Amino acid sequence: MTRQMKTIAEHFPISGSFTISRGSKTTASVVTCHVSEGGFSGIGECVPYGRYGETIDSVLAAIETMRPQIEAGIGREELRQTMQGGAARNAVDCALWDLEAKKAGIPAFTLAGLAEPRPLTTAYTISLGEPEAMAAQTARYAHRALLKVKVGTADDASRIRAVRAAAPDSAIILDANEGWTENNLAYHFAVCAESGVSLIEQPLPAGHDAPLASISRPVPVCADESVHKTEDLPKLAGLYDAVNIKLDKTGGLTEALRMRDAARALNLKIMVGCMVGTSLGMAPAVLLAEGAEFVDLDGPLLLARDREPGLHYEGSLVYPPRPALWG
C-alpha cells in the first residue's frame, strides 16, 4: 500500500494572552501532519517552540526532509532512531500512532499496552503578571483543584503569596521558566514552602542547575527545559525530584513512554505537560499521563477556539480522547 503525507500550519487564537517570563503571545501556531495509507488516515499535531530554536518553517522543513522514509513506510521505532527529537518528530510519530490504531481497529492505548485511560485532574495555568493581576486571575479559577502559576522574576514572593491568598484550597505548581538565580533560589524555596506550593518547575536555566544538588529542597523540584530525551535523565536524578515530559520535547509518544519508564526507574516523579496547542496535541499525552503525579494538559482551555471535536473537559477533569479526535 502506498503511503501519502500532508503537512499544514494552523493558527488558533488564544483567549486574551499567555505570558511567561520569556514573553507573551496571543496565537497558538501548530503544525499538523496527516499520514494516509490503505484508506486510513492518521493525524498528529506539534507546537514549534522558539526556546528550542524551532519555527513553523523549520518544523515543516524537517518533516519534509523525512517524506521519502515516511511514505516508504517507516515505523515509529525506526523514526525515533532516525529523526531528531523535537516538535517535528512529535507530529509524525503521533500521526503514525493514530494511523496504526485505525488500521488495526483497536484504540491507541491498547496498541501501547496501556490500561484504558480514565479522566485526569489537570492543572490550569495562571499567566505571569503583576501580583494584583495574578491574584485577580487566580480568584476566577480558585475552584480548580490544581493551578499552574507562571513566575520567574527577580522577586516572586509577592506573586506567590498573592496567588495563594486568592486560591487557599488549590494545589499549586509554580513554574519559574528558568527565571531564578542561584542567589535568590533559597529565598524563593522558603516562600514556596511557607505558601504550601506542591511543585516548583525549572527554577534555574537549563545547563546551570548544578546548585540544586547542594541546596535543601523543601518543595519538590521538577525539570522541564533541562530534560528532552531519556538519555538526559541520569544526570538529573540528583538535582531534581520530578521531570516534565512533553511530547513536543521528546519528539512523540514513542520516546515519551520510554522516558516515563526510565524516570520511574530512577525514582523520579512524573509530570506530563504541554505547549499551548489544541486538543489534538493533548490527546496522545492523556494516554501518557495515566498514573502521573502531576498533569498539565490545559492547552485547549487557553484557546479562544479549539478543534472540533475536541477533548472533553469538565471542571478540573480532562477525559480521554474519542476516536473521532485521535487514537
Side-chain angles (χ1 to χ4, degrees), residues 13-79:
I14 292 173
S15 182
S17 65
F18 179 76
T19 303
I20 64 173
S21 59
R22 286 189 288 270
S24 299
K25 63 179 184 177
T26 57
T27 302
S29 296
V30 307
V31 170
T32 307
C33 178
H34 301 256
V35 181
S36 301
E37 181 180 334
F40 299 95
S41 182
I43 184 170
E45 175 188 294
C46 72
V47 181
Y49 198 44
R51 168 65 180 81
Y52 305 134
E54 296 172 336
T55 65
I56 289 286
D57 288 342
S58 74
V59 165
L60 287 169
I63 297 174
E64 188 61 32
T65 298
M66 290 295 297
R67 179 181 291 275
Q69 294 98 313
I70 293 166
E71 294 190 337
I74 194 170
R76 291 180 285 101
E77 182 57 28
E78 187 182 354
L79 179 78

Side-chain angles (χ1 to χ4, degrees), residues 5-322:
M5 183 187 75
K6 179 179 72 174
T7 56
I8 57 172
E10 298 181 85
H11 307 279
F12 295 83
I14 292 173
S15 182
S17 65
F18 179 76
T19 303
I20 64 173
S21 59
R22 286 189 288 270
S24 299
K25 63 179 184 177
T26 57
T27 302
S29 296
V30 307
V31 170
T32 307
C33 178
H34 301 256
V35 181
S36 301
E37 181 180 334
F40 299 95
S41 182
I43 184 170
E45 175 188 294
C46 72
V47 181
Y49 198 44
R51 168 65 180 81
Y52 305 134
E54 296 172 336
T55 65
I56 289 286
D57 288 342
S58 74
V59 165
L60 287 169
I63 297 174
E64 188 61 32
T65 298
M66 290 295 297
R67 179 181 291 275
Q69 294 98 313
I70 293 166
E71 294 190 337
I74 194 170
R76 291 180 285 101
E77 182 57 28
E78 187 182 354
L79 179 78
R80 187 188 72 80
Q81 296 179 23
T82 305
M83 190 177 185
Q84 183 176 346
R89 193 177 75 192
N90 179 33
V92 179
D93 179 75
C94 290
L96 293 181
W97 274 101
D98 191 35
L99 176 64
E100 191 174 339
K102 287 174 177 172
K103 287 175 63 179
I106 58 175
F109 69 82
T110 302
L111 194 63
L114 302 173
E116 184 170 358
R118 299 164 297 171
L120 302 168
T121 298
T122 179
Y124 183 86
T125 302
I126 305 298
S127 283
L128 178 63
E130 292 303 316
E132 298 78 9
M134 293 182 72
Q137 185 187 4
T138 300
R140 293 197 295 274
Y141 300 102
H143 61 284
R144 291 187 173 273
L146 179 62
L147 297 174
K148 177 168 171 172
V149 179
K150 294 290 187 178
V151 290
T153 70
D155 182 7
D156 283 326
S158 56
R159 292 172 171 83
I160 297 166
R161 290 171 177 141
V163 164
R164 171 48 81 201
D169 299 323
S170 301
I172 291 176
I173 299 168
L174 207 70
D175 187 1
N177 279 118
E178 306 178 278
W180 293 351
T181 68
E182 184 176 359
N183 292 334
N184 63 29
L185 194 61
Y187 171 64
H188 282 134
F189 277 7
V191 174
C192 288
E194 162 204 309
S195 301
V197 169
S198 299
L199 188 73
I200 301 166
E201 200 178 341
Q202 197 68 43
L204 297 175
H208 299 275
D209 34 20
L212 293 171
S214 56
I215 190 172
S216 173
R217 301 195 296 267
V219 174
V221 180
C222 179
D224 182 4
E225 286 84 354
S226 288
V227 61
H228 291 254
K229 57 187 184 296
T230 303
E231 289 72 22
D232 293 334
L233 293 172
K235 67 178 182 290
L236 301 179
L239 306 177
Y240 291 94
D241 308 290
V243 291
N244 187 347
I245 304 176
K246 296 177 179 175
L247 300 187
D248 281 311
K249 289 190 303 175
T250 67
L253 182 60
T254 303
E255 172 67 12
L257 290 166
R258 183 171 173 260
M259 183 189 292
R260 182 199 62 182
D261 293 344
R264 290 235 182 267
L266 291 168
N267 294 316
L268 290 164
K269 290 182 169 61
I270 305 298
M271 177 178 178
V272 175
C274 66
M275 308 302 186
V276 183
T278 78
S279 285
L280 176 59
M282 306 304 118
V286 172
L287 306 191
L288 176 70
E290 290 294 323
E293 284 82 3
F294 299 94
V295 179
D296 176 31
L297 296 176
D298 66 340
L301 299 178
L302 306 177
L303 301 179
R305 174 176 60 84
D306 189 16
R307 296 185 189 274
E308 290 291 343
L311 286 172
H312 176 60
Y313 290 86
E314 188 176 303
S316 293
L317 296 178
V318 56
Y319 284 74
R322 290 163 288 188

